[in-house]
Every structure is written in C-alpha cells, then in structure tokens.
Amino acid sequence: MTQPERYIPYGRQTISEEDIQAVVETLRSDWLTQGPAVERFERVVSDYCGAQYGVAVNSATSALHIACLAAGLGAGDTLWTSPNTFVASANCALYCGAKVDFVDIDPRTYNMSIDALREKLVKAEQAGCLPKVVIPVHFAGQSCEMEQIGELAGKYGFTVIEDASHAIGGEYQGVKVGSCRYSQMTAFSFHPVKIVTTGEGGMVATNSKNLMEKLLRLRSHGITRDPALMDRASHGGWYYQQIELGFNYRMTDIQAALGVSQMARVDEFVASRNRIAQRYNKELAGLPLILPWQAPDAASALHLYPVCIDPNRTHLTRKSIFEALRDAGIGVNVHYIPVHTQPYYRNLGFIEGMFPESERYYAAALSLPIFHGLDEASQDYVINQLKVAFT
Ligand SMILES: *Cc1c(COP(=O)(O)O)cnc(C)c1O
C-alpha cells in the first residue's frame, strides 16, 4: 500500500467555508474581543448540552481554574482527579493553592474507578481529609459513571467538576455530556485537536446562576458593574468595582464565531468518529490489541481511539509499534503519561507505583488517528501499517 503524501496526525480540526466566512464576518464587525458572538456561542453550547448556562473562556485550562475558584477551592483544601489525564486537570488545584491527589482508573474504561474512589473516600473521612472538589475526566470521550459519583458527592459533600475536554457530543444515560445532571460544573476544551474548535478556547457549563455569575466575574478581573454587589454608591455611569481577584480569561468574538459555526456540525463530527471507530473495531479484532470498551450506558464522543498492546499475546513492545507507525508517516500518540509520575508531581511527593492501573495502562497505550477528515483510504493505510508492524 502506498504511503499517503501527507502525514496522518492522531487528531486534527476540520474547517469549512462557512467557518471561514463566519470568522471573516466577525473581522469586519465592531467586535473583536468578547462581544455578541461569545454570548451566542455560550447559548449554542449550553442549549446543545442541556445546561442552563455557559461561560466561555480562552481555554479549558482557564475553565478548570475558575471552576475550582467558583467552587471555593483554596489553601488547605484538596482536589482529586484521575492520573490518566492531561496535566491541566490537576494543575488547576495548584493554581488555587490547594493540594492534589489522584484516584486510580478502571482498567476497562480508563476513567476514574468508582470502587477506588469509594475506598479512598472512606479512608479520607477517617483521616479527616475529604476532598473539596473531585474532577472526573471523561477519557477519550466516554463519560465517567456520573450517577455513582453524584451519589458519593452527596454523601461526602464534595463539588464535582467534570473535565469534558474530550467529550462534547458524548452521552451518558441518554443525555448529553455537559447537562450537569450529576455535577455542579462541566469544562470543555475547543483546542483544534478536540472535537469542536475555536483555535484555543474553553467553556464552563452549569445549572447554577450563582456559579455562572462568579465565573463571569473571574474571567474578567473580578470586576462587577452590578450596584447590588458594590460596597458604596456608584460614582456614575462609568463606575465599576473589583470585588475579588480575577483574570483576563476572555474568549474573542473571532474565536466564538468559529465555535458557533463548528457547533452546527458537532453531531456530524461525532458520527464520523463513530464510523472510524467501528471500522477499527472490525479490522483490528485479530491483532494482539485491547480495543476500547464501550460502557452500555454511555455513548462516547470518541475524541481518542486508544488501544493497548496486549502483553499476553505479543512480545512486541508499544515503543516498537509506535516507532514503526511514526516511520510510516502516522502520527500515533500516547494518552496519557500518568500525571503523578511527572517530575513536578514527584517533587510534591508522588511516586511511581501509587496508581498501578493507570501506570499499567500507560505502559501499553497507543492512540490511533481518529478525526472527522480521516478518509477511508488513509484509515486503511493506518490499519495496514499496524498489521505490518505486528508481523
Ligand atoms: C486538552 C485538555 C485540557 C486542556 O485544554 P486546553 O483547552 O488546551 O486548555 C484539559 N483536560 C483534558 C482532559 C484535555 O484533554
């Protein structure tokens, strides 16, 4: 099989003529920074997910940061997340001066394990160090078991912030991820490698008016123009007050216009990811690979298609398969190096061996190309090169 001329990445954006027109129109308008397109994008995403409110920001990293602050996370508090995630899901706690700890993953879904979470909560209650915030990460686009997490949140009194950076368009119990049915807030990423893009961008979805108002302030310096929140009478029409410490995490209207245009095709994006995954499921079944497991009550948005090299069925290493595919022009990748094994986290006291399921998964994992614009011929090439690598 001949090698395609272009390098095949593991993920990439699809930009249509409509997307380009939407951005050009914004450039000709009065608003470049946060304006009417940002409000439209917030409405489109929150309506799509079935949440009451959306607060758009310049990245999911910013979304997670201000969601933690809005949840009241601060010095002396602890946040728990999954080690099998991008570092941003844990860093947000450190930005707030809080501590981080991890809950190991379920070996089938690679999401936070409910059994591990329950056990850790029992011990933390005895030791008097329950978490204030838990961030379940919907790895690869498949929802965590949110009903169980919601129950535990009620029992132990923590706030749940879903990291749905991989999962817009995914469903859990027949409802779109981001509805916040079992959580207080959900964070999305619109980085180009994710499902829907704004270049860079993020959003927090919530059903709480109070949290929404806090998030709006935190994304723009902690400033309010609401007289009811001021400690003295307004000086006039120009007057505002900074009532807490916020940031400049605003999204531009240029980005939001792209986002609104992209959201018109979110279902199409997820559908083609599903078609690609189904072809992989069928064509790779004979190889010594553990293919992604689909939980019966979730529909994955399939941001990633992660396979594991099965050590019981081959002596070939993940590294050798990775290198063979990279040499063939295929941009396979590995998601994720467990966060607790990063030097920054080791310096905080974490050591290898603490979260064995996520370490075992990492040792074998490989993410194959999956994105809306991946055509059948390119996918056939990937499948063929994988078969060649195993012979
Ligand atoms: C991409 C990603 C983030 C960060 O998203 P940005 O928009 O790049 O800040 C956070 N969490 C997870 C799980 C991600 O995949």
Side-chain angles (χ1 to χ4, degrees):
M1 201 172 250
T2 54
Q3 184 165 339
E5 276 165 36
R6 285 175 51 192
Y7 181 78
I8 304 172
Y10 80 89
R12 63 159 286 145
Q13 72 278 13
T14 309
I15 300 296
S16 68
E17 262 325 299
E18 287 77 16
D19 292 346
I20 293 168
Q21 277 315 311
V23 170
V24 168
E25 272 167 41
T26 310
L27 288 171
R28 293 190 205 285
S29 79
D30 290 336
W31 291 93
L32 297 185
T33 184
Q34 181 183 295
V38 167
E39 269 181 45
R40 263 200 309 281
F41 186 45
E42 290 171 339
R43 195 69 271 143
V44 165
V45 173
S46 54
D47 283 353
Y48 179 81
C49 299
Q52 294 233 292
Y53 310 103
V55 176
V57 288
N58 57 3
S59 70
T61 304
S62 304
L64 290 166
H65 181 193
I66 61 172
C68 286
L69 288 173
L73 190 74
D77 297 326
T78 305
L79 174 150
W80 291 1
T81 189
S82 164
N84 181 35
T85 186
F86 186 55
V87 292
S89 321
N91 288 345
C92 55
L94 305 180
Y95 297 157
C96 299
K99 282 191 276 197
V100 185
D101 204 351
F102 300 93
V103 180
D104 210 354
I105 60 170
D106 178 316
R108 272 207 302 191
T109 59
Y110 318 131
N111 278 334
M112 181 181 283
S113 154
I114 300 301
D115 290 340
L117 175 62
R118 196 176 283 121
E119 261 175 50
K120 199 174 172 95
L121 285 165
V122 169
K123 285 190 194 143
E125 187 177 43
Q126 285 162 359
C129 58
L130 283 167
K132 178 142 188 168
V133 172
V134 172
I135 300 192
V137 180
H138 304 317
F139 178 72
Q142 173 154 266
S143 175
C144 295
E145 294 162 88
M146 291 309 302
E147 184 172 0
Q148 288 86 329
I149 292 172
E151 265 168 33
L152 291 168
K155 183 166 174 197
Y156 292 98
F158 54 85
T159 297
V160 180
I161 303 171
E162 299 172 65
D163 184 341
S165 293
H166 298 184
I168 197 160
E171 291 182 3
Y172 173 70
Q173 295 182 343
V175 176
K176 286 275 183 302
V177 168
S179 72
C180 300
R181 182 170 171 199
Y182 300 111
S183 70
Q184 282 62 55
M185 288 171 274
T186 301
F188 291 109
S189 173
F190 306 113
H191 182 280
V193 91
K194 307 291 162 72
I195 292 169
V196 163
T197 193
T198 59
E200 293 277 2
M203 196 176 294
V204 185
T206 184
N207 292 319
S208 156
K209 186 162 182 279
N210 181 40
L211 287 173
M212 178 270 288
E213 286 170 349
K214 272 193 195 166
L215 293 163
L216 287 180
R217 272 201 309 278
L218 286 165
R219 82 170 167 194
S220 203
H221 308 282
I223 281 172
T224 185
R225 291 176 187 277
D226 179 357
L229 297 175
M230 295 183 184
D231 71 343
R232 54 176 70 161
S234 170
H235 299 176
W238 65 87
Y239 195 64
Y240 59 83
Q241 280 192 343
Q242 184 194 340
I243 59 171
E244 64 193 314
L245 187 62
F247 307 86
N248 179 354
Y249 281 170
R250 293 186 301 267
M251 176 180 272
T252 68
D253 255 28
I254 307 167
Q255 293 167 303
L258 176 56
V260 170
S261 181
Q262 286 257 309
M263 280 301 291
R265 306 200 304 291
V266 58
D267 288 334
E268 191 189 311
F269 292 164
V270 173
S272 51
R273 286 169 180 277
N274 265 284
R275 276 195 301 278
I276 292 164
Q278 277 160 22
R279 287 192 83 222
Y280 276 141
N281 290 345
K282 188 159 148 273
E283 301 295 330
L284 302 179
L287 294 178
L289 294 172
I290 300 159
L291 302 180
W293 182 75
Q294 175 64 61
D297 57 354
S300 177
L302 287 157
H303 163 56
L304 299 174
Y305 189 87
V307 299
C308 286
I309 316 298
D310 187 349
N312 297 321
R313 291 188 285 157
T314 181
H315 292 299
L316 291 168
T317 62
R318 186 267 308 275
K319 192 159 183 245
S320 70
I321 303 294
F322 175 94
E323 284 169 357
L325 292 168
R326 280 283 177 102
D327 288 346
I330 301 166
V332 283
N333 218 320
V334 173
H335 301 92
Y336 284 101
I337 305 160
V339 178
H340 69 283
T341 68
Q342 295 289 354
Y344 192 84
Y345 282 86
R346 279 190 269 115
N347 283 337
L348 297 176
F350 294 99
I351 54 171
E352 257 122 10
M354 277 181 155
F355 305 100
E357 291 297 347
S358 64
E359 294 169 34
R360 207 168 4 254
Y361 163 73
Y362 165 61
L366 191 66
S367 298
L368 302 184
I370 187 165
F371 53 93
H372 175 66
L374 181 69
D375 58 44
E376 285 201 3
S378 299
Q379 191 184 6
D380 286 342
Y381 176 74
V382 174
I383 291 163
N384 224 276
Q385 290 302 312
L386 251 178
K387 288 181 178 167
V388 169
F390 277 111
T391 53

